[in-house]
């Protein structure tokens, strides 16, 4: 490890709270608890950045295995029990839930590359994704950029917030709402905590919450998140694949009865989703989330979709969460202002931005682009096609071709 690591930016134990995860993991886990407790799944790690992480495999494994000692505390369970859509039976399950990384997670080097896989019951493996990614990001950062001074982050953040405040006034954008979605790719936990604390103090009318349950509890914020791609992917294994998206939405509504009503749209492209998002779903779900492709084209499609059903778009929300910075979010908000509600989930730009920082050897900093996606469910391959080819993921080309044919995806 780098001997000049900043004690202000890094902790010895990387994950110390079971709630240090994205809200949608708990929200999806409750559905799994009720409907799919016996289902077996596989996840695989991918690094989309051209960077070899193999040298950090041992330290990453150590950080992941340290999850063995992390549980939901009585105080945390009391907090979760006050969330109106989290049910007593699920809270009781969390009381006895234990991470078991040595059983379910493998970390090794294969062909000179870092390989991380999780395999086991969906109910017990679903919570690994976020801490695994956070561990990978933080281990890499403290080894390669441990010399960074905490003031670098503060100066960058202060500048960005001042710019945002100025632009909101200049552009006369009202009702601009954004949340922190930065847990999985944060520079470190301490950085994310400081960002959330600062935004809570300085922009209470615009900063509406965080996807991180631990930080939401600590700062009295709304925990934000509904479903991820894995939820829709898994249903490809449960029913005829052509009906998988409809089944996923129906089951979600069975569990949540109109709460947590933001649906993810790009598991098999937005055009395929729109064909399944019929009048009933369009009424039941309060909004939809964008995670790939052109956000302006995507938003216009949903405005037309609602209008075609005679639904006032102003009663619905478009949630944007794809690689956003403030300027991009402002452009989107300005474009749709007065036509439909918008909100923004901003990740890496908030919790892993060092501006133009360079190491002493002249190497400019860039954050990792890492994911951990479901690749198999109930013994069958599953796929994410997405509106952006670089975000697609499937290990079985024959299954992928069949899925595309079923949904008429080129």
């Amino acid at each position: 490890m780098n001997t000049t690591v900043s004690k202000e930016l890094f902790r010895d134990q990387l994950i110390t709270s079971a709630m240090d995860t994205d809200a949608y993991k708990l929200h999806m886990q409750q559905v799994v608890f009720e409907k799919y407790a016996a289902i077996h799944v596989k996840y695989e790690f991918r690094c989309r950045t051209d960077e070899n992480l193999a040298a950090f495999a041992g330290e990453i494994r150590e950080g992941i295995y340290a999850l063995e000692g992390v549980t939901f505390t009585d105080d945390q369970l009391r907090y979760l029990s006050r969330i109106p859509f989290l049910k007593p039976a699920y809270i009781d399950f969390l009381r006895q839930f234990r991470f078991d990384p040595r059983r379910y997670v493998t970390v090794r080097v294969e062909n000179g590359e870092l390989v991380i896989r999780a395999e086991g019951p969906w109910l017990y493996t679903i919570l690994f994704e976020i801490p695994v990614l956070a561990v990978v990001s933080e281990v890499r950062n403290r080894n390669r950029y441990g010399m960074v001074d905490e003031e670098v982050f503060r100066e960058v953040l202060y500048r960005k917030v001042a710019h945002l405040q100025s632009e909101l006034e200049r552009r006369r954008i009202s009702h601009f709402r954004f949340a922190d979605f930065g847990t999985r790719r944060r520079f470190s936990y301490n950085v994310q905590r400081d960002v959330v604390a600062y935004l809570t103090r300085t922009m209470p009318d615009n900063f509406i919450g965080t996807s991180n349950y631990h930080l939401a509890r600590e700062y009295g914020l709304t925990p934000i998140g509904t479903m991820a791609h894995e939820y829709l992917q898994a249903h490809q294994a449960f029913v005829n694949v052509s009906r998988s998206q409809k089944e996923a939405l129906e089951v979600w509504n069975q569990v949540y009865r109109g709460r947590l009503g933001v649906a993810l749209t790009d598991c098999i492209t937005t055009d395929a989703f729109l064909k399944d998002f019929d009048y009933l779903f369009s009424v039941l779900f309060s909004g939809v989330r964008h995670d790939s492709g052109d956000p302006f084209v995507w938003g216009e499609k949903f405005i037309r979709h609602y209008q075609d059903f005679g639904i006032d778009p102003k009663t619905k929300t478009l949630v944007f969460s794809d690689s956003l910075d403030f300027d991009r979010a402002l452009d989107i908000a300005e474009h749709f202002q007065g036509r439909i509600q918008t909100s923004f989930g901003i990740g890496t730009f908030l919790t892993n931005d060092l501006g133009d920082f360079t190491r002493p050897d002249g190497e400019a900093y860039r954050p990792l682009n890492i994911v951990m996606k479901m690749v198999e469910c109930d013994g069958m391959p599953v796929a994410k096609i997405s509106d952006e080819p670089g975000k697609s993921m499937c290990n079985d080309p024959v299954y992928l071709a069949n899925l595309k044919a079923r949904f008429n995806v080129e």
Side-chain angles (χ1 to χ4, degrees):
M1 181 184 291
N2 191 317
T3 58
T4 61
V5 168
S6 167
K7 296 185 181 300
E8 290 77 20
L9 294 181
F10 301 101
R11 305 182 296 181
D12 291 335
Q13 185 171 344
L14 303 181
I15 307 294
T16 61
S17 166
M19 293 207 309
D20 183 10
T21 192
D22 279 344
Y24 67 27
K25 299 304 285 191
L26 296 184
H27 301 163
M28 290 188 296
Q29 189 186 41
Q30 178 168 248
V31 180
V32 177
F33 170 75
E34 287 196 21
K35 302 290 187 178
Y36 306 118
I39 295 297
H40 188 279
V41 300
K42 293 182 181 179
Y43 297 87
E44 290 187 1
F45 169 83
R46 292 282 191 278
C47 180
R48 295 170 176 165
T49 311
D50 183 20
E51 182 172 334
N52 192 313
L53 304 172
F56 311 132
E59 197 172 334
I60 288 168
R61 185 185 302 109
E62 181 182 340
I64 293 170
Y65 283 179
L67 288 167
E68 287 178 326
V70 178
T71 62
F72 289 92
T73 67
D74 289 342
D75 285 346
Q76 290 172 342
L77 292 170
R78 279 192 290 271
Y79 165 81
L80 292 173
S81 69
R82 294 193 292 271
I83 306 293
F85 47 77
L86 295 182
K87 304 175 186 180
Y90 174 60
I91 300 299
D92 285 343
F93 164 75
L94 292 181
R95 192 177 306 280
Q96 58 83 33
F97 174 85
R98 297 294 183 272
F99 288 99
D100 195 351
R102 294 178 189 273
R103 181 177 183 181
Y104 297 128
V105 182
T106 59
V107 182
R108 58 170 61 100
V109 175
E110 296 179 5
N111 299 318
E113 299 288 335
L114 174 68
V115 174
I116 305 175
R117 298 187 179 97
E119 180 176 356
W122 195 11
L123 184 61
Y124 288 92
T125 55
I126 190 170
L127 294 190
F128 279 114
E129 176 194 359
I130 306 304
V132 164
L133 294 177
V135 164
V136 171
S137 183
E138 187 158 351
V139 165
R140 175 264 198 173
N141 289 333
R142 73 184 183 186
N143 276 278
R144 300 199 64 199
Y145 300 95
M147 76 294 292
V148 178
D149 190 284
E150 61 181 329
E151 287 302 316
V152 172
F153 283 98
R154 290 176 181 167
E155 290 173 7
V156 170
L157 178 62
Y158 297 169
R159 248 190 342 261
K160 289 191 295 193
V161 169
H163 173 70
L164 174 60
Q165 292 169 328
S166 173
E167 284 295 288
L168 287 172
E169 182 176 354
R170 184 183 71 82
R171 301 194 195 194
R172 298 180 181 178
I173 297 175
S174 58
H175 308 295
F176 181 80
R177 302 177 300 165
F178 73 99
D180 155 50
F181 276 19
T183 301
R184 67 183 57 209
R185 296 172 187 164
R186 65 196 182 195
F187 187 85
S188 69
Y189 167 80
N190 287 354
V191 167
Q192 184 183 18
R193 179 203 61 205
D194 291 350
V195 166
V196 168
Y198 183 72
L199 293 172
T200 301
R201 292 194 309 270
T202 59
M203 301 202 72
D205 295 333
N206 305 103
F207 184 59
I208 58 173
T210 173
S211 65
N212 187 296
Y213 250 116
H214 176 81
L215 294 173
R217 175 175 178 250
E218 184 172 345
Y219 292 100
L221 298 168
T222 301
I224 296 175
T226 54
M227 64 185 71
H229 294 99
E230 69 173 283
Y231 176 74
L232 293 117
Q233 286 177 265
H235 286 80
Q236 296 167 17
F238 302 152
V239 295
N240 185 303
V241 70
S242 62
R243 210 196 119 62
S244 59
Q245 296 191 118
K246 282 182 173 287
E247 181 72 8
L249 296 176
E250 287 173 359
V251 169
W252 191 268
N253 191 55
Q254 289 171 17
V255 174
Y256 286 110
R257 312 302 295 171
R259 297 181 184 270
L260 291 180
V262 174
L264 183 60
T265 65
D266 70 333
C267 186
I268 312 176
T269 76
T270 293
D271 288 341
F273 180 87
L274 282 165
K275 293 175 183 177
D276 289 337
F277 201 56
D278 59 21
Y279 176 79
L280 180 60
F281 290 138
S282 297
V283 171
L284 287 175
F285 282 81
S286 60
V288 288
R289 179 162 73 91
H290 172 267
D291 199 52
S292 64
D294 187 310
F296 301 98
V297 172
W298 176 88
E300 294 294 345
K301 286 181 179 181
F302 274 96
I303 288 176
R304 288 195 298 271
H305 181 79
Y306 288 127
Q307 289 172 335
D308 288 345
F309 280 136
I311 299 170
D312 183 357
K314 293 179 183 178
T315 65
K316 300 297 179 178
T317 300
L318 303 180
V319 180
F320 296 87
S321 62
D322 180 28
S323 304
L324 294 174
D325 58 24
F326 283 151
D327 285 328
R328 183 70 160 166
L330 287 165
D331 290 343
I332 296 168
E334 191 172 32
H335 179 83
F336 291 108
Q337 184 167 225
R339 302 169 60 206
I340 193 168
Q341 299 176 58
T342 58
S343 70
F344 303 89
I346 303 179
T348 303
F349 176 72
L350 287 178
T351 64
N352 202 346
D353 184 10
L354 277 69
D356 57 1
F357 176 83
T358 58
R359 296 198 323 178
D361 61 7
E363 178 183 308
Y365 179 78
R366 61 174 180 167
L368 288 174
N369 185 346
I370 51 178
V371 296
M372 191 164 182
K373 296 296 185 183
M374 182 185 289
V375 295
E376 187 176 301
C377 179
D378 209 20
M380 296 177 59
V382 294
K384 170 191 172 186
I385 298 178
S386 183
D387 289 324
E388 186 178 326
K391 286 191 167 187
S392 298
M393 190 166 180
C394 182
N395 286 351
D396 188 325
V398 175
Y399 174 77
L400 182 61
N402 177 62
L403 184 68
K404 289 182 175 181
R406 294 290 186 94
F407 285 93
N408 297 314
V409 176
E410 294 184 2

